[in-house]
């Protein structure tokens, strides 16, 4: 069985749709060096291989890859051990990782030549232990569903922003099923789902632990003149404690949770799943659950389906060229 069949058989509802072939817009490569020659490498069975298919990568990154290596001089190659590419609607970020001191490096001296190798706006970032240099900056500018986003490579970014469009469409379609009041979102990141769903709710309360992500979400709200999103930097267990009034949070002093009337919750947890926060999620009538790990999602759903009915199940091939899959679920209270 292929990876789609393996995942589908784990759930007691037919898969509504499988979205395949999401070309990667975020990809990392190790490097292989031999007699002064440098090549991109991937790992297979814990060994580096340099002969691999690149058809899973979006055209803009795939076209830029050989041009970049051809234009790296000895100073840029020295102690370089990994290259990461991030492509958005407008921007291409190239992150060069080093095992050396880079604080005196003048990456701007190389920018003019390298920027001519792509039609996208190019950002070059050099990084080593506790050091980071970006030229001209590290901001990825993206446009989707009439929304402009800004984020950087330190945020969580879906491996395929092309497939991400299908994920947003799914979440929006779930939000339209029942009459909406307010939305609670956990693990909101830089606002990928938050801004897309905001027009369908009166108010949105979005939480995220990462300070950098929350800063970008607040910036994105300003860029798009979105005024119904309220944010707080809280981890999932803290959100649970806040709603249960276990303790007061200074980070919530600008928000009165009693002012919200939540009809929906959207969750996009890490690979470990919801854990104890599944009890918080059960409190809401309509659940939109995005998962990057079908195994932990199955464990969470077994608990959620004691109070809710699983109405929809879709698969997104975010991790093309791997065994991983992204899932989308929609549940309604029974």
């Amino acid at each position: 069985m292929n990876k789609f069949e393996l995942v589908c058989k784990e759930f007691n509802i037919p898969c509504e749709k499988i979205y395949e072939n999401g070309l990667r817009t975020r990809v990392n490569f190790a490097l292989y060096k031999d007699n002064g020659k440098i090549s991109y490498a991937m790992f297979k069975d814990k060994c580096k291989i340099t002969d691999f298919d690149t058809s899973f990568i979006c055209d803009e990154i795939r076209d830029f890859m050989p041009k970049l290596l051809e234009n790296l001089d000895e100073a840029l190659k020295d102690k370089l051990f990994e290259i990461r590419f991030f492509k958005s609607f407008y921007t291409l970020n190239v992150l060069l990782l080093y095992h050396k001191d880079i604080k005196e490096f003048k990456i701007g001296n190389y920018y003019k030549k390298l920027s001519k190798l792509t039609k996208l706006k190019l950002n070059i970032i050099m990084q080593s232990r506790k050091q980071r240099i970006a030229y001209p900056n590290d901001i990825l500018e993206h446009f989707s569903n009439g929304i402009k986003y800004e984020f950087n490579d330190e945020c969580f970014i879906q491996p395929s922003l092309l497939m991400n469009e299908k994920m947003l469409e799914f979440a929006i379609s779930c939000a339209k099923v029942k009459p909406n009041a307010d939305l609670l979102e956990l693990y909101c990141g830089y606002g990928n789902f938050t801004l897309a769903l905001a027009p369908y709710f009166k108010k949105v309360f979005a939480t995220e632990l990462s300070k950098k992500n929350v800063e970008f979400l607040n910036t994105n709200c300003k860029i798009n003149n979105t005024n119904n999103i309220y944010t707080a930097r809280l981890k999932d267990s803290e959100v649970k404690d806040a709603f249960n009034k276990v303790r007061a949070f200074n980070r919530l002093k600008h928000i009165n949770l009693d002012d919200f009337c939540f009809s929906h919750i959207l969750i996009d947890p890490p690979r470990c799943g919801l854990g104890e926060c599944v009890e918080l999620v059960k409190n809401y009538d309509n659940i939109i659950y995005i998962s990057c790990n079908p195994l932990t999602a199955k464990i969470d759903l077994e608990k959620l389906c004691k109070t809710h009915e699983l109405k929809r199940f879709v698969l997104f091939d975010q991790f093309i060229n791997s065994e991983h899959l992204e899932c989308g679920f929609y549940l309604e209270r029974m």
Side-chain angles (χ1 to χ4, degrees):
M1 289 189 287
N2 62 34
K3 66 179 182 180
F4 305 106
E5 294 168 331
L6 286 169
V7 171
C8 286
K9 74 181 185 67
E10 295 294 328
F11 299 97
N12 60 357
I13 182 175
C15 183
E16 176 183 316
K17 190 172 180 63
I18 298 173
Y19 296 94
E20 297 186 59
N21 303 323
L23 294 178
R24 296 286 291 268
T25 54
R26 170 173 67 83
V27 64
N28 305 343
F29 292 102
L31 296 173
Y32 179 77
K33 299 177 182 179
D34 183 32
N35 293 324
K37 182 182 178 182
I38 187 170
S39 305
Y40 294 105
M42 300 183 75
F43 285 93
K44 184 176 182 180
D45 299 326
K46 298 183 179 180
C47 295
K48 282 185 180 181
I49 59 170
T50 58
D51 184 16
F52 54 86
D53 180 19
T54 60
S55 62
F56 68 97
I57 306 168
C58 70
D59 292 343
E60 293 86 351
I61 292 177
R62 191 168 63 244
D63 291 345
F64 188 79
M65 287 169 55
K67 297 174 184 176
L68 176 64
L69 290 190
E70 290 167 4
N71 284 274
L72 293 180
D73 65 12
E74 293 306 313
L76 286 174
K77 291 179 186 178
D78 182 47
K79 302 293 179 65
L80 174 66
F81 69 93
E82 185 176 338
I83 301 179
R84 300 177 184 176
F85 298 92
F86 307 84
K87 184 261 175 187
S88 67
F89 189 88
Y90 297 109
T91 319
L92 176 62
N93 276 20
V94 178
L95 176 60
L96 309 173
L97 298 176
Y98 287 90
H99 287 309
K100 69 176 182 179
D101 189 326
I102 60 168
K103 63 177 179 291
E104 301 299 330
F105 212 96
K106 305 297 183 185
I107 190 62
N109 295 341
Y110 299 88
Y111 181 78
K112 185 175 181 179
K113 180 173 69 170
L114 294 176
S115 65
K116 292 179 179 179
L117 305 178
T118 177
K119 294 180 180 179
L120 294 169
K121 178 183 176 183
L122 180 68
N123 291 321
I124 302 292
I125 305 107
M126 299 178 69
Q127 186 169 303
S128 65
R129 184 176 175 83
K130 297 183 179 180
Q131 297 177 343
R132 183 177 170 95
I133 303 168
Y135 192 91
N137 57 62
D138 64 356
I139 304 299
L140 285 153
E141 299 175 37
H142 190 57
F143 186 80
S144 171
N145 286 293
I147 300 165
K148 184 177 180 181
Y149 296 88
E150 289 187 359
F151 47 90
N152 71 3
D153 56 273
E154 296 177 301
C155 298
F156 173 75
I157 307 169
Q158 291 289 354
S160 172
L161 289 177
L162 304 171
M163 185 59 69
N164 186 61
E165 297 296 310
K166 301 300 181 184
M167 296 172 65
L168 293 175
E169 289 173 10
F170 170 75
I172 290 170
S173 69
C174 292
K176 291 178 176 179
V177 173
K178 289 289 187 73
N180 302 339
D182 299 332
L183 170 69
L184 170 62
E185 182 182 3
L186 275 61
Y187 323 100
C188 67
Y190 62 82
N192 178 43
F193 289 103
T194 322
L195 286 145
L197 290 174
Y200 303 93
F201 294 90
K202 294 176 183 176
K203 291 183 290 187
V204 178
F205 178 44
T207 68
E208 166 64 48
L209 177 59
S210 163
K211 183 177 180 181
K212 178 69 70 174
N213 276 286
V214 174
E215 288 173 353
F216 274 113
L217 172 53
N218 288 329
T219 296
N220 289 330
C221 289
K222 292 177 182 177
I223 291 172
N224 293 281
N225 295 314
T226 302
N227 301 312
N228 66 333
I229 296 174
Y230 302 82
T231 64
R233 189 172 68 84
L234 298 168
K235 59 184 178 181
D236 51 6
S237 60
E238 291 175 327
V239 177
K240 180 165 66 92
D241 287 348
F243 276 101
N244 291 333
K245 302 188 186 301
V246 173
R247 54 171 286 206
F249 290 88
N250 190 51
R251 285 164 285 167
L252 280 174
K253 63 183 180 182
H254 61 299
I255 292 175
N256 183 359
L257 295 179
D258 293 332
D259 289 341
F260 291 88
C261 180
F262 296 108
S263 60
H264 292 66
I265 184 170
L266 186 146
I267 44 177
D268 185 5
R271 292 189 62 78
C272 60
L274 291 171
E276 294 181 0
C277 277
V278 72
E279 295 303 318
L280 170 67
V281 175
K282 287 163 103 175
N283 292 332
Y284 302 97
D285 289 345
N286 306 286
I287 303 170
I288 305 169
Y289 188 165
I290 307 296
S291 171
C292 61
N293 187 345
L295 296 178
T296 54
K298 183 181 179 182
I299 295 171
D300 291 338
L301 287 171
E302 286 173 353
K303 299 172 184 176
L304 292 172
C305 285
K306 292 178 181 179
T307 53
H308 290 70
E309 182 180 357
L310 181 57
K311 291 286 191 178
R312 298 180 65 187
F313 165 39
V314 296
L315 289 174
F316 306 97
D317 194 6
Q318 269 286 359
F319 305 91
I320 190 172
N321 203 40
S322 80
E323 293 305 309
H324 298 294
L325 276 173
E326 195 96 2
C327 306
F329 305 97
Y330 174 65
L331 302 91
E332 293 178 358
R333 187 180 298 281
M334 290 188 284

